[in-house]
Amino acid sequence: MLYLYNSLSRKKEIFKPVKDKRVRMYTCGPTVYAYAHLGNLRTYLAEDLLKRALIFNGYQVKQVMNITDVGHLVSDADSGEDKIELAAKKEKKTSFEIADFYTEYFFSALKKLNIIFPEITAKATEHIKDYINYIKLLEEKGFTYFTSDGIYFDTSKLKDYGKLTGQSFKDLSKNLKAGARIEFSSEKKNITDFALWKFSPQNVKREMEWDSPWGKGFPGWHIECAVISLKYLGNCFQNGKFYPEKFETIDIHCGGIDHIPIHHTNEIAEVESLTKKPMARFWFHVNFLVLKETRMGKSEGNALLIEDIEKNTFSPLAFRYLSLTTHYRMPLEFSFESLKGAENSLREIYNFIENCLWEKKFLKNKQNKAFSLKKYSKDFEEAINNDLNTPQALSVLWNLISRYNKVKKDQKKISQLSPSAVYQLLLSFDKVLGLDFKKIKLPKIKKEVQSMVKERENLRKQKKWQAADNYREKIKEKGYLVEDTIFGPRVTKINE
Ligand SMILES: [Zn+2]
Protein backbone atom coordinates (compact mmCIF):
# COMPACT_ATOMS: atom_id res chain seq x y z
CA MET A 1 0.00 0.00 0.00
CA LEU A 2 1.49 3.31 -1.08
CA TYR A 3 1.02 6.27 1.23
CA LEU A 4 1.59 9.72 -0.19
CA TYR A 5 1.39 13.12 1.39
CA ASN A 6 -1.33 15.16 -0.25
CA SER A 7 -0.79 18.94 -0.07
CA LEU A 8 -4.52 19.43 -0.49
CA SER A 9 -5.55 17.52 2.63
CA ARG A 10 -2.22 18.22 4.37
CA LYS A 11 -1.87 14.61 5.41
CA LYS A 12 -0.63 11.24 4.21
CA GLU A 13 -3.25 9.25 2.37
CA ILE A 14 -3.39 5.85 0.72
CA PHE A 15 -2.78 6.28 -2.97
CA LYS A 16 -5.14 4.62 -5.40
CA PRO A 17 -5.63 5.65 -9.02
CA VAL A 18 -9.03 7.04 -9.95
CA LYS A 19 -9.34 4.33 -12.61
CA ASP A 20 -7.85 0.80 -12.79
CA LYS A 21 -4.12 0.39 -12.42
CA ARG A 22 -3.42 3.42 -14.55
CA VAL A 23 -2.00 6.60 -13.11
CA ARG A 24 -2.40 9.92 -14.87
CA MET A 25 0.33 12.21 -13.62
CA TYR A 26 0.99 15.84 -14.53
CA THR A 27 4.25 17.63 -13.83
CA CYS A 28 4.75 21.35 -14.30
CA GLY A 29 7.69 21.62 -16.65
CA PRO A 30 10.46 24.17 -16.98
CA THR A 31 10.24 27.72 -18.23
CA VAL A 32 12.92 27.52 -20.88
CA TYR A 33 14.61 30.91 -20.61
CA ALA A 34 17.78 29.77 -18.81
CA TYR A 35 19.74 26.69 -17.87
CA ALA A 36 17.82 24.37 -15.54
CA HIS A 37 19.86 24.52 -12.34
CA LEU A 38 20.28 21.98 -9.57
CA GLY A 39 17.45 23.55 -7.59
CA ASN A 40 15.05 23.02 -10.50
CA LEU A 41 16.40 19.55 -11.11
CA ARG A 42 15.80 18.47 -7.54
CA THR A 43 12.08 18.81 -8.22
CA TYR A 44 12.29 16.69 -11.37
CA LEU A 45 14.33 14.07 -9.52
CA ALA A 46 11.68 13.79 -6.80
CA GLU A 47 8.93 13.54 -9.41
CA ASP A 48 10.91 10.82 -11.15
CA LEU A 49 11.19 9.03 -7.83
CA LEU A 50 7.42 9.23 -7.45
CA LYS A 51 6.91 7.84 -10.94
CA ARG A 52 9.34 4.99 -10.28
CA ALA A 53 7.63 4.20 -6.97
CA LEU A 54 4.29 4.00 -8.78
CA ILE A 55 5.72 1.64 -11.38
CA PHE A 56 7.35 -0.37 -8.56
CA ASN A 57 3.86 -0.76 -7.09
CA GLY A 58 2.58 -2.22 -10.33
CA TYR A 59 0.93 0.86 -11.81
CA GLN A 60 1.16 2.03 -15.37
CA VAL A 61 2.03 5.70 -15.46
CA LYS A 62 1.20 8.25 -18.11
CA GLN A 63 3.13 11.39 -17.33
CA VAL A 64 2.61 14.69 -19.10
CA MET A 65 4.96 17.63 -18.79
CA ASN A 66 4.53 21.05 -20.31
CA ILE A 67 7.39 23.16 -21.60
CA THR A 68 6.70 26.80 -20.85
CA ASP A 69 8.08 28.64 -23.85
CA VAL A 70 5.82 31.67 -23.56
CA GLY A 71 3.69 33.43 -20.97
CA HIS A 72 5.74 33.12 -17.80
CA LEU A 73 6.27 36.68 -16.66
CA VAL A 74 9.02 37.92 -14.39
CA SER A 75 6.49 38.08 -11.58
CA ASP A 76 4.24 35.05 -11.14
CA ALA A 77 1.35 37.50 -10.84
CA ASP A 78 1.08 38.81 -14.39
CA SER A 79 3.47 41.70 -14.23
CA GLY A 80 6.87 42.39 -15.70
CA GLU A 81 8.27 41.13 -18.96
CA ASP A 82 7.99 37.66 -20.42
CA LYS A 83 11.00 35.69 -19.16
CA ILE A 84 11.77 34.26 -22.59
CA GLU A 85 11.51 37.53 -24.50
CA LEU A 86 13.73 39.15 -21.88
CA ALA A 87 16.36 36.42 -22.29
CA ALA A 88 16.15 36.77 -26.08
CA LYS A 89 16.92 40.47 -25.83
CA LYS A 90 19.83 39.84 -23.51
CA GLU A 91 21.31 37.05 -25.60
CA LYS A 92 20.47 38.75 -28.94
CA LYS A 93 18.58 35.72 -30.21
CA THR A 94 14.97 35.13 -31.14
CA SER A 95 12.60 33.90 -28.46
CA PHE A 96 12.16 30.67 -30.37
CA GLU A 97 15.92 30.10 -30.46
CA ILE A 98 16.11 30.73 -26.72
CA ALA A 99 13.27 28.31 -26.01
CA ASP A 100 14.69 25.59 -28.26
CA PHE A 101 18.14 25.90 -26.82
CA TYR A 102 17.12 25.69 -23.17
CA THR A 103 14.58 22.95 -23.87
CA GLU A 104 17.32 20.80 -25.39
CA TYR A 105 19.55 21.59 -22.44
CA PHE A 106 16.80 20.60 -20.02
CA PHE A 107 16.28 17.27 -21.79
CA SER A 108 19.99 16.53 -21.70
CA ALA A 109 20.03 17.25 -17.95
CA LEU A 110 17.16 14.79 -17.42
CA LYS A 111 19.14 12.19 -19.31
CA LYS A 112 22.27 12.73 -17.26
CA LEU A 113 20.28 12.27 -14.07
CA ASN A 114 18.69 9.04 -15.34
CA ILE A 115 15.21 10.58 -15.16
CA ILE A 116 12.56 8.61 -17.04
CA PHE A 117 11.29 10.75 -19.86
CA PRO A 118 7.61 11.85 -19.61
CA GLU A 119 5.32 9.97 -21.97
CA ILE A 120 4.22 13.34 -23.36
CA THR A 121 5.99 16.68 -23.35
CA ALA A 122 3.90 19.58 -24.59
CA LYS A 123 5.19 22.97 -25.66
CA ALA A 124 3.02 25.85 -24.53
CA THR A 125 3.30 27.61 -27.89
CA GLU A 126 1.83 24.61 -29.70
CA HIS A 127 -1.50 24.84 -27.85
CA ILE A 128 -2.63 28.41 -28.46
CA LYS A 129 -5.90 27.36 -30.07
CA ASP A 130 -6.72 25.17 -27.08
CA TYR A 131 -6.23 28.03 -24.59
CA ILE A 132 -8.46 30.28 -26.64
CA ASN A 133 -11.18 27.63 -26.81
CA TYR A 134 -11.01 27.04 -23.10
CA ILE A 135 -11.01 30.75 -22.19
CA LYS A 136 -14.11 31.12 -24.37
CA LEU A 137 -15.83 28.48 -22.22
CA LEU A 138 -14.81 30.34 -19.07
CA GLU A 139 -16.15 33.51 -20.62
CA GLU A 140 -19.50 31.89 -21.45
CA LYS A 141 -19.91 30.84 -17.84
CA GLY A 142 -19.13 34.32 -16.58
CA PHE A 143 -15.77 33.70 -14.93
CA THR A 144 -13.84 36.29 -16.92
CA TYR A 145 -13.71 40.04 -17.38
CA PHE A 146 -11.95 42.44 -19.66
CA THR A 147 -9.23 44.92 -18.65
CA SER A 148 -6.99 47.09 -20.78
CA ASP A 149 -4.16 44.60 -20.45
CA GLY A 150 -5.96 41.35 -20.83
CA ILE A 151 -8.74 38.91 -20.02
CA TYR A 152 -8.80 38.17 -16.31
CA PHE A 153 -10.25 35.39 -14.17
CA ASP A 154 -12.60 36.58 -11.43
CA THR A 155 -11.49 34.58 -8.40
CA SER A 156 -14.37 35.79 -6.24
CA LYS A 157 -16.67 33.57 -8.31
CA LEU A 158 -15.25 30.41 -6.78
CA LYS A 159 -16.27 29.66 -3.25
CA ASP A 160 -13.18 27.64 -2.39
CA TYR A 161 -10.56 29.69 -4.23
CA GLY A 162 -7.18 29.22 -2.54
CA LYS A 163 -8.00 25.91 -0.86
CA LEU A 164 -4.58 24.49 -1.72
CA THR A 165 -2.95 27.14 0.45
CA GLY A 166 -5.18 26.32 3.41
CA GLN A 167 -6.30 29.96 3.54
CA SER A 168 -9.68 31.50 2.96
CA PHE A 169 -10.22 33.85 0.05
CA LYS A 170 -10.25 36.79 2.46
CA ASP A 171 -7.01 35.83 4.23
CA LEU A 172 -5.29 35.09 0.97
CA SER A 173 -6.20 38.54 -0.40
CA LYS A 174 -5.06 40.19 2.80
CA ASN A 175 -1.73 38.38 2.77
CA LEU A 176 -1.13 39.13 -0.89
CA LYS A 177 -1.77 42.81 -0.25
CA ALA A 178 0.63 42.76 2.69
CA GLY A 179 3.38 41.23 0.57
CA ALA A 180 3.93 44.25 -1.65
CA ARG A 181 5.62 42.06 -4.27
CA ILE A 182 2.51 42.19 -6.39
CA GLU A 183 1.26 45.36 -7.98
CA PHE A 184 -2.48 45.70 -7.70
CA SER A 185 -3.66 47.12 -10.98
CA SER A 186 -6.72 49.25 -10.40
CA GLU A 187 -8.58 47.40 -13.11
CA LYS A 188 -8.37 44.09 -11.26
CA LYS A 189 -11.48 43.35 -9.25
CA ASN A 190 -9.69 41.24 -6.66
CA ILE A 191 -6.01 41.10 -5.89
CA THR A 192 -6.09 37.34 -6.46
CA ASP A 193 -7.47 37.68 -10.01
CA PHE A 194 -5.06 36.69 -12.75
CA ALA A 195 -4.65 36.96 -16.52
CA LEU A 196 -5.89 34.24 -18.82
CA TRP A 197 -4.90 36.13 -21.93
CA LYS A 198 -2.54 39.11 -21.93
CA PHE A 199 -2.65 41.74 -24.66
CA SER A 200 0.58 42.65 -26.40
CA PRO A 201 1.61 46.07 -25.12
CA GLN A 202 0.60 48.91 -27.46
CA ASN A 203 3.28 50.07 -29.89
CA VAL A 204 5.48 47.15 -28.94
CA LYS A 205 5.96 44.32 -31.39
CA ARG A 206 6.22 41.11 -29.45
CA GLU A 207 7.91 38.17 -31.09
CA MET A 208 5.53 35.73 -29.53
CA GLU A 209 1.96 36.91 -30.02
CA TRP A 210 -1.17 35.46 -31.53
CA ASP A 211 -4.58 36.68 -32.66
CA SER A 212 -7.50 35.96 -30.38
CA PRO A 213 -11.18 36.99 -30.19
CA TRP A 214 -10.14 39.59 -27.58
CA GLY A 215 -7.08 41.03 -29.27
CA LYS A 216 -3.51 40.21 -30.15
CA GLY A 217 -1.57 38.75 -27.26
CA PHE A 218 -0.35 35.65 -25.51
CA PRO A 219 -1.61 33.16 -22.91
CA GLY A 220 -1.10 33.41 -19.16
CA TRP A 221 1.18 30.85 -17.55
CA HIS A 222 -1.49 29.10 -15.47
CA ILE A 223 -3.88 28.49 -18.36
CA GLU A 224 -1.11 26.62 -20.15
CA CYS A 225 -0.82 23.93 -17.47
CA ALA A 226 -4.55 23.79 -16.84
CA VAL A 227 -5.37 23.25 -20.52
CA ILE A 228 -2.48 20.91 -21.31
CA SER A 229 -3.29 18.68 -18.34
CA LEU A 230 -6.98 18.63 -19.29
CA LYS A 231 -6.23 17.89 -22.91
CA TYR A 232 -3.86 14.97 -22.39
CA LEU A 233 -5.01 13.53 -19.09
CA GLY A 234 -8.53 14.72 -18.33
CA ASN A 235 -10.34 12.46 -20.82
CA CYS A 236 -12.52 15.41 -21.84
CA PHE A 237 -11.01 16.58 -25.11
CA GLN A 238 -12.46 15.43 -28.42
CA ASN A 239 -12.10 16.71 -31.98
CA GLY A 240 -10.41 19.90 -30.88
CA LYS A 241 -13.00 20.70 -28.21
CA PHE A 242 -13.19 20.56 -24.45
CA TYR A 243 -16.12 18.92 -22.69
CA PRO A 244 -15.54 19.94 -19.06
CA GLU A 245 -18.56 17.96 -17.87
CA LYS A 246 -16.80 14.77 -19.01
CA PHE A 247 -13.63 15.55 -17.10
CA GLU A 248 -12.12 12.78 -14.97
CA THR A 249 -10.10 13.94 -12.01
CA ILE A 250 -6.36 13.50 -12.68
CA ASP A 251 -4.50 11.26 -10.23
CA ILE A 252 -1.50 13.39 -9.33
CA HIS A 253 -0.39 16.92 -10.08
CA CYS A 254 3.24 17.74 -9.23
CA GLY A 255 5.48 20.75 -8.84
CA GLY A 256 7.75 22.69 -6.53
CA ILE A 257 6.31 24.03 -3.26
CA ASP A 258 6.65 27.56 -4.66
CA HIS A 259 3.81 26.71 -7.06
CA ILE A 260 1.25 26.30 -4.30
CA PRO A 261 0.07 29.88 -3.60
CA ILE A 262 -0.26 31.23 -7.14
CA HIS A 263 0.38 28.85 -10.01
CA HIS A 264 -1.39 25.74 -8.78
CA THR A 265 -4.06 27.70 -6.96
CA ASN A 266 -4.92 29.42 -10.23
CA GLU A 267 -4.78 26.23 -12.28
CA ILE A 268 -7.32 24.75 -9.88
CA ALA A 269 -9.56 27.79 -10.32
CA GLU A 270 -9.45 27.53 -14.10
CA VAL A 271 -10.22 23.83 -14.17
CA GLU A 272 -12.67 23.38 -11.31
CA SER A 273 -14.80 26.38 -12.22
CA LEU A 274 -15.91 24.51 -15.33
CA THR A 275 -15.52 20.83 -14.47
CA LYS A 276 -17.04 21.11 -10.96
CA LYS A 277 -14.73 18.25 -10.02
CA PRO A 278 -11.40 18.23 -8.17
CA MET A 279 -8.60 18.93 -10.66
CA ALA A 280 -6.34 16.30 -9.10
CA ARG A 281 -6.71 13.68 -6.37
CA PHE A 282 -3.18 14.22 -5.08
CA TRP A 283 -1.06 17.35 -5.06
CA PHE A 284 2.61 16.44 -4.79
CA HIS A 285 5.04 19.23 -3.89
CA VAL A 286 8.80 19.15 -3.63
CA ASN A 287 10.79 21.34 -1.27
CA PHE A 288 13.76 23.54 -2.28
CA LEU A 289 17.42 22.87 -2.70
CA VAL A 290 19.20 25.18 -0.28
CA LEU A 291 22.68 26.52 0.15
CA LYS A 292 23.25 27.26 3.81
CA GLU A 293 19.63 28.11 4.40
CA THR A 294 18.97 30.20 1.31
CA ARG A 295 17.06 28.73 -1.56
CA MET A 296 19.02 28.00 -4.72
CA GLY A 297 17.59 29.93 -7.61
CA LYS A 298 18.38 32.02 -10.62
CA SER A 299 17.03 35.17 -9.03
CA GLU A 300 19.10 34.51 -5.92
CA GLY A 301 22.19 34.45 -8.16
CA ASN A 302 23.51 31.22 -6.66
CA ALA A 303 22.33 28.73 -9.24
CA LEU A 304 24.64 25.79 -9.91
CA LEU A 305 24.38 23.57 -12.97
CA ILE A 306 25.14 19.93 -13.66
CA GLU A 307 28.25 21.15 -15.46
CA ASP A 308 29.49 22.68 -12.19
CA ILE A 309 29.26 19.22 -10.68
CA GLU A 310 31.05 17.61 -13.60
CA LYS A 311 33.74 20.28 -13.57
CA ASN A 312 34.48 19.25 -10.03
CA THR A 313 34.82 15.66 -11.24
CA PHE A 314 31.60 14.44 -9.71
CA SER A 315 29.13 12.35 -11.62
CA PRO A 316 25.57 13.66 -12.12
CA LEU A 317 24.30 10.49 -10.45
CA ALA A 318 26.12 11.51 -7.27
CA PHE A 319 23.69 14.44 -7.21
CA ARG A 320 20.85 12.00 -7.67
CA TYR A 321 22.17 9.97 -4.73
CA LEU A 322 22.47 13.15 -2.67
CA SER A 323 18.86 14.02 -3.41
CA LEU A 324 17.79 10.61 -2.10
CA THR A 325 19.47 11.22 1.25
CA THR A 326 16.86 13.84 2.19
CA HIS A 327 13.11 13.39 2.14
CA TYR A 328 11.52 15.26 -0.78
CA ARG A 329 9.38 17.40 1.53
CA MET A 330 12.42 18.68 3.41
CA PRO A 331 14.87 21.31 2.15
CA LEU A 332 17.88 19.56 0.61
CA GLU A 333 21.10 21.19 1.70
CA PHE A 334 23.69 21.28 -1.02
CA SER A 335 27.43 21.64 -0.62
CA PHE A 336 30.36 20.18 -2.48
CA GLU A 337 31.34 18.33 0.71
CA SER A 338 27.97 16.60 0.87
CA LEU A 339 28.21 15.86 -2.85
CA LYS A 340 31.61 14.27 -2.23
CA GLY A 341 30.07 12.12 0.48
CA ALA A 342 27.34 11.09 -1.95
CA GLU A 343 29.88 10.27 -4.65
CA ASN A 344 31.89 8.09 -2.25
CA SER A 345 28.78 6.24 -1.10
CA LEU A 346 27.70 5.63 -4.66
CA ARG A 347 31.13 4.30 -5.63
CA GLU A 348 31.06 2.00 -2.65
CA ILE A 349 27.72 0.60 -3.76
CA TYR A 350 28.99 0.16 -7.32
CA ASN A 351 32.05 -1.67 -5.99
CA PHE A 352 29.84 -3.92 -3.93
CA ILE A 353 27.76 -4.72 -7.01
CA GLU A 354 30.86 -5.49 -9.04
CA ASN A 355 31.92 -7.71 -6.17
CA CYS A 356 28.63 -9.62 -6.30
CA LEU A 357 29.07 -10.14 -10.02
CA TRP A 358 32.49 -11.54 -9.47
CA GLU A 359 31.63 -13.70 -6.49
CA LYS A 360 28.67 -15.28 -8.19
CA LYS A 361 31.16 -17.14 -10.36
CA PHE A 362 32.26 -19.01 -7.27
CA LEU A 363 29.15 -19.10 -5.08
CA LYS A 364 26.37 -20.44 -7.20
CA ASN A 365 23.54 -20.64 -4.67
CA LYS A 366 20.21 -19.53 -6.06
CA GLN A 367 18.98 -18.57 -2.64
CA ASN A 368 20.74 -16.68 0.07
CA LYS A 369 20.73 -19.10 3.00
CA ALA A 370 23.09 -17.13 5.22
CA PHE A 371 20.25 -14.74 6.08
CA SER A 372 16.82 -13.99 4.72
CA LEU A 373 16.61 -11.40 1.95
CA LYS A 374 12.86 -11.13 2.37
CA LYS A 375 13.19 -8.86 5.35
CA TYR A 376 15.32 -6.41 3.35
CA SER A 377 12.98 -6.48 0.44
CA LYS A 378 10.01 -5.84 2.72
CA ASP A 379 11.75 -3.07 4.66
CA PHE A 380 12.74 -1.34 1.45
CA GLU A 381 9.22 -1.49 0.09
CA GLU A 382 7.82 -0.20 3.36
CA ALA A 383 10.20 2.75 3.36
CA ILE A 384 9.34 3.71 -0.22
CA ASN A 385 5.62 3.23 0.32
CA ASN A 386 5.74 5.47 3.36
CA ASP A 387 5.59 8.71 1.35
CA LEU A 388 8.84 7.90 -0.50
CA ASN A 389 11.08 7.75 2.53
CA THR A 390 14.32 7.43 0.61
CA PRO A 391 16.72 8.07 3.54
CA GLN A 392 15.14 5.01 5.17
CA ALA A 393 15.27 3.00 1.95
CA LEU A 394 18.97 3.79 1.55
CA SER A 395 19.67 2.65 5.06
CA VAL A 396 18.00 -0.70 4.25
CA LEU A 397 20.35 -0.99 1.28
CA TRP A 398 23.39 -0.22 3.43
CA ASN A 399 22.31 -2.70 6.08
CA LEU A 400 22.10 -5.37 3.42
CA ILE A 401 25.60 -4.57 2.18
CA SER A 402 27.11 -4.67 5.63
CA ARG A 403 25.32 -7.89 6.54
CA TYR A 404 26.67 -9.56 3.43
CA ASN A 405 30.18 -8.32 4.06
CA LYS A 406 30.01 -9.47 7.66
CA VAL A 407 28.98 -12.99 6.69
CA LYS A 408 31.78 -13.08 4.15
CA LYS A 409 34.27 -12.84 6.99
CA ASP A 410 32.81 -15.97 8.57
CA GLN A 411 34.50 -19.02 6.96
CA LYS A 412 31.69 -21.30 8.09
CA LYS A 413 28.88 -19.28 6.59
CA ILE A 414 30.37 -17.91 3.44
CA SER A 415 29.19 -20.84 1.32
CA GLN A 416 25.58 -19.99 2.24
CA LEU A 417 25.71 -16.62 0.51
CA SER A 418 24.07 -16.04 -2.81
CA PRO A 419 25.73 -13.07 -4.52
CA SER A 420 23.38 -13.54 -7.42
CA ALA A 421 20.23 -13.21 -5.28
CA VAL A 422 21.68 -10.16 -3.53
CA TYR A 423 22.51 -8.64 -6.90
CA GLN A 424 18.96 -9.22 -8.14
CA LEU A 425 17.54 -7.61 -5.02
CA LEU A 426 19.74 -4.55 -5.51
CA LEU A 427 18.56 -4.27 -9.10
CA SER A 428 14.98 -4.28 -7.87
CA PHE A 429 15.80 -1.49 -5.38
CA ASP A 430 17.33 0.44 -8.23
CA LYS A 431 14.06 0.45 -10.13
CA VAL A 432 13.06 3.07 -7.57
CA LEU A 433 16.41 4.68 -6.80
CA GLY A 434 17.43 5.10 -10.43
CA LEU A 435 21.16 4.97 -9.74
CA ASP A 436 21.86 2.84 -12.79
CA PHE A 437 23.15 -0.28 -11.01
CA LYS A 438 22.66 -2.22 -14.21
CA LYS A 439 25.49 -0.44 -15.92
CA ILE A 440 27.97 -2.05 -13.52
CA LYS A 441 29.76 -4.85 -15.32
CA LEU A 442 32.89 -6.82 -14.59
CA PRO A 443 35.80 -5.11 -16.30
CA LYS A 444 37.14 -6.65 -19.46
CA ILE A 445 40.71 -7.63 -18.72
CA LYS A 446 43.27 -7.70 -21.48
CA LYS A 447 44.77 -11.10 -22.27
CA GLU A 448 48.20 -9.72 -21.55
CA VAL A 449 47.13 -8.72 -18.03
CA GLN A 450 45.35 -12.02 -17.49
CA SER A 451 48.55 -13.95 -18.14
CA MET A 452 50.48 -11.59 -15.88
CA VAL A 453 48.01 -12.37 -13.11
CA LYS A 454 48.49 -16.10 -13.71
CA GLU A 455 52.25 -15.71 -13.65
CA ARG A 456 51.97 -13.81 -10.37
CA GLU A 457 49.90 -16.64 -8.91
CA ASN A 458 52.56 -19.16 -9.85
CA LEU A 459 55.20 -17.06 -8.17
CA ARG A 460 53.09 -16.80 -5.03
CA LYS A 461 52.66 -20.56 -4.94
CA GLN A 462 56.41 -20.85 -5.05
CA LYS A 463 56.55 -18.27 -2.23
CA LYS A 464 58.55 -15.89 -4.42
CA TRP A 465 56.94 -12.90 -2.79
CA GLN A 466 59.28 -10.23 -4.10
CA ALA A 467 58.87 -11.36 -7.68
CA ALA A 468 55.10 -11.60 -7.21
CA ASP A 469 55.03 -8.06 -5.86
CA ASN A 470 56.95 -6.83 -8.86
CA TYR A 471 54.23 -8.32 -11.05
CA ARG A 472 51.59 -6.54 -9.03
CA GLU A 473 53.34 -3.24 -9.83
CA LYS A 474 53.55 -4.09 -13.51
CA ILE A 475 49.87 -4.92 -13.57
CA LYS A 476 49.15 -1.61 -11.89
CA GLU A 477 51.06 0.20 -14.62
CA LYS A 478 48.65 -1.38 -17.08
CA GLY A 479 45.76 0.19 -15.17
CA TYR A 480 44.57 -2.74 -13.05
CA LEU A 481 44.64 -3.67 -9.38
CA VAL A 482 45.04 -7.19 -8.05
CA GLU A 483 43.50 -8.07 -4.75
CA ASP A 484 43.96 -11.48 -3.14
CA THR A 485 40.68 -12.88 -1.92
CA ILE A 486 39.50 -16.25 -0.63
CA PHE A 487 38.31 -17.00 -4.14
CA GLY A 488 41.69 -16.18 -5.65
CA PRO A 489 43.07 -13.01 -7.20
CA ARG A 490 40.49 -10.43 -8.16
CA VAL A 491 41.36 -7.90 -10.82
CA THR A 492 39.71 -4.49 -10.99
CA LYS A 493 40.24 -1.53 -13.23
CA ILE A 494 41.74 1.55 -11.66
CA ASN A 495 39.27 4.44 -11.81
CA GLU A 496 40.55 7.40 -13.74
ZN1 LIG B 1 2.31 24.34 -14.18
Side-chain angles (χ1 to χ4, degrees):
M1 209 119 67
L2 172 61
Y3 282 83
L4 280 182
Y5 181 84
N6 187 354
S7 308
L8 190 61
S9 63
R10 280 165 280 278
K11 58 177 190 247
K12 278 189 219 172
E13 294 176 42
I14 295 175
F15 174 80
K16 262 209 184 115
V18 173
K19 233 175 153 183
D20 313 322
K21 285 289 244 179
R22 260 172 266 166
V23 180
R24 289 164 296 135
M25 170 175 168
Y26 185 84
T27 38
C28 285
T31 301
V32 282
Y33 71 109
Y35 293 110
H37 56 71
L38 299 182
N40 304 131
L41 293 170
R42 188 220 175 170
T43 303
Y44 298 105
L45 277 169
E47 291 162 350
D48 183 59
L49 171 72
L50 168 65
K51 184 175 183 179
R52 286 169 177 273
L54 291 163
I55 297 170
F56 187 72
N57 276 279
Y59 297 118
Q60 258 178 299
V61 182
K62 180 179 175 188
Q63 183 195 3
V64 175
M65 185 190 282
N66 68 308
I67 303 292
T68 300
D69 52 0
V70 69
H72 196 166
L73 303 187
V74 170
S75 151
D76 279 359
D78 308 315
S79 58
E81 281 188 87
D82 185 301
K83 287 185 177 186
I84 302 209
E85 293 223 332
L86 193 64
K89 265 185 233 160
K90 271 191 200 151
E91 297 191 28
K92 297 195 170 60
K93 288 181 185 164
T94 69
S95 299
F96 292 95
E97 283 168 344
I98 290 287
D100 277 353
F101 178 80
Y102 290 113
T103 303
E104 279 314 305
Y105 175 83
F106 173 72
F107 290 158
S108 74
L110 295 189
K111 209 169 159 200
K112 282 183 182 173
L113 291 170
N114 203 23
I115 289 175
I116 302 174
F117 228 70
E119 280 61 36
I120 295 176
T121 53
K123 283 187 185 175
T125 47
E126 288 171 2
H127 296 78
I128 302 295
K129 229 167 73 188
D130 299 325
Y131 313 134
I132 292 173
N133 284 341
Y134 195 81
I135 297 167
K136 273 197 216 157
L137 294 178
L138 286 168
E139 191 177 36
E140 278 166 28
K141 298 281 177 194
F143 286 102
T144 67
Y145 62 91
F146 189 94
T147 76
S148 59
D149 90 333
I151 302 297
Y152 275 74
F153 187 98
D154 185 347
T155 52
S156 69
K157 296 255 160 105
L158 271 183
K159 65 174 190 310
D160 56 359
Y161 179 83
K163 63 180 173 183
L164 193 60
T165 65
Q167 296 175 61
S168 69
F169 182 68
K170 249 189 175 169
D171 288 341
L172 201 61
S173 308
K174 218 164 58 194
N175 291 342
L176 276 175
K177 273 179 205 161
R181 233 180 94 207
I182 291 159
E183 293 163 40
F184 189 17
S185 123
S186 58
E187 283 181 84
K188 263 171 51 164
K189 290 185 184 169
N190 311 288
I191 191 165
T192 43
D193 293 354
F194 56 92
L196 297 161
W197 185 266
K198 289 271 283 186
F199 298 136
S200 298
Q202 275 183 341
N203 312 322
V204 179
K205 173 86 186 102
R206 267 181 64 95
E207 248 187 283
M208 288 185 162
E209 59 181 9
W210 295 266
D211 287 324
S212 84
W214 313 282
K216 201 167 257 187
F218 58 99
W221 175 36
H222 323 305
I223 196 76
E224 297 175 0
C225 282
V227 163
I228 289 171
S229 66
L230 239 58
K231 179 171 179 176
Y232 294 102
L233 295 171
N235 298 335
C236 62
F237 183 81
Q238 276 160 1
N239 306 323
K241 273 185 168 173
F242 288 99
Y243 299 91
E245 66 284 357
K246 290 189 183 169
F247 172 71
E248 285 172 2
T249 295
I250 292 163
D251 293 298
I252 312 177
H253 194 114
C254 311
I257 48 169
D258 48 333
H259 286 348
I260 296 173
I262 297 175
H263 183 51
H264 285 170
T265 287
N266 292 344
E267 280 185 49
I268 289 176
E270 290 165 334
V271 171
E272 298 189 2
S273 54
L274 293 187
T275 64
K276 313 285 181 209
K277 281 179 201 150
M279 181 180 184
R281 261 281 284 131
F282 277 81
W283 286 86
F284 178 89
H285 289 108
V286 186
N287 209 316
F288 294 130
L289 183 73
V290 294
L291 293 165
K292 285 189 195 132
E293 286 166 15
T294 52
R295 167 192 174 186
M296 184 189 283
K298 199 167 153 37
S299 41
E300 286 75 5
N302 57 10
L304 289 167
L305 308 181
I306 288 198
E307 285 69 21
D308 294 311
I309 288 182
E310 290 173 317
K311 246 190 276 166
N312 286 283
T313 65
F314 293 108
S315 69
L317 286 185
F319 178 61
R320 183 172 183 117
Y321 184 93
L322 181 67
S323 82
L324 295 169
T325 60
T326 300
H327 192 263
Y328 75 89
R329 285 195 284 122
M330 302 294 286
L332 170 63
E333 226 180 286
F334 180 88
S335 67
F336 278 102
E337 291 94 85
S338 57
L339 187 64
K340 181 144 185 49
E343 174 100 4
N344 289 341
S345 301
L346 190 57
R347 282 203 184 159
E348 209 177 307
I349 298 173
Y350 286 169
N351 281 338
F352 179 80
I353 292 171
E354 201 182 309
N355 220 13
C356 285
L357 290 175
W358 190 69
E359 285 170 1
K360 81 191 175 110
K361 290 188 188 174
F362 309 96
L363 295 168
K364 306 209 171 190
N365 300 323
K366 282 213 174 96
Q367 273 186 358
N368 196 67
K369 289 174 193 145
F371 56 90
S372 162
L373 292 184
K374 258 193 200 140
K375 182 189 153 18
Y376 293 92
S377 150
K378 196 174 142 267
D379 288 353
F380 183 86
E381 193 180 317
E382 258 175 35
I384 291 302
N385 283 355
N386 180 13
D387 192 28
L388 316 182
N389 190 341
T390 47
Q392 183 67 33
L394 284 178
S395 89
V396 174
L397 182 148
W398 282 108
N399 288 341
L400 171 64
I401 291 179
S402 67
R403 183 83 183 269
Y404 184 97
N405 286 336
K406 206 172 157 195
V407 172
K408 226 164 67 176
K409 285 185 192 135
D410 186 341
Q411 289 289 348
K412 275 180 242 151
K413 280 196 176 163
I414 192 163
S415 64
Q416 298 171 16
L417 285 172
S418 169
S420 136
V422 171
Y423 173 71
Q424 287 304 330
L425 185 59
L426 288 174
L427 286 192
S428 81
F429 289 178
D430 197 45
K431 286 199 173 128
V432 183
L433 304 175
L435 295 167
D436 212 3
F437 291 170
K438 248 193 178 153
K439 77 169 176 200
I440 305 300
K441 299 269 185 282
L442 286 178
K444 285 215 173 77
I445 296 152
K446 286 185 203 157
K447 278 224 167 101
E448 181 197 7
V449 175
Q450 278 178 25
S451 45
M452 286 164 87
V453 173
K454 252 188 207 155
E455 193 49 43
R456 178 175 168 270
E457 271 311 281
N458 287 336
L459 291 166
R460 275 166 56 84
K461 273 178 198 149
Q462 296 162 38
K463 300 199 158 82
K464 293 182 180 164
W465 307 116
Q466 187 55 48
D469 273 356
N470 291 345
Y471 258 102
R472 182 202 286 275
E473 283 310 303
K474 276 189 204 161
I475 293 167
K476 203 172 172 183
E477 279 163 28
K478 300 272 174 199
Y480 296 88
L481 283 181
V482 193
E483 184 197 342
D484 295 307
T485 79
I486 44 165
F487 303 114
R490 183 178 165 207
V491 187
T492 49
K493 240 183 175 163
I494 297 170
N495 284 331
E496 287 88 41

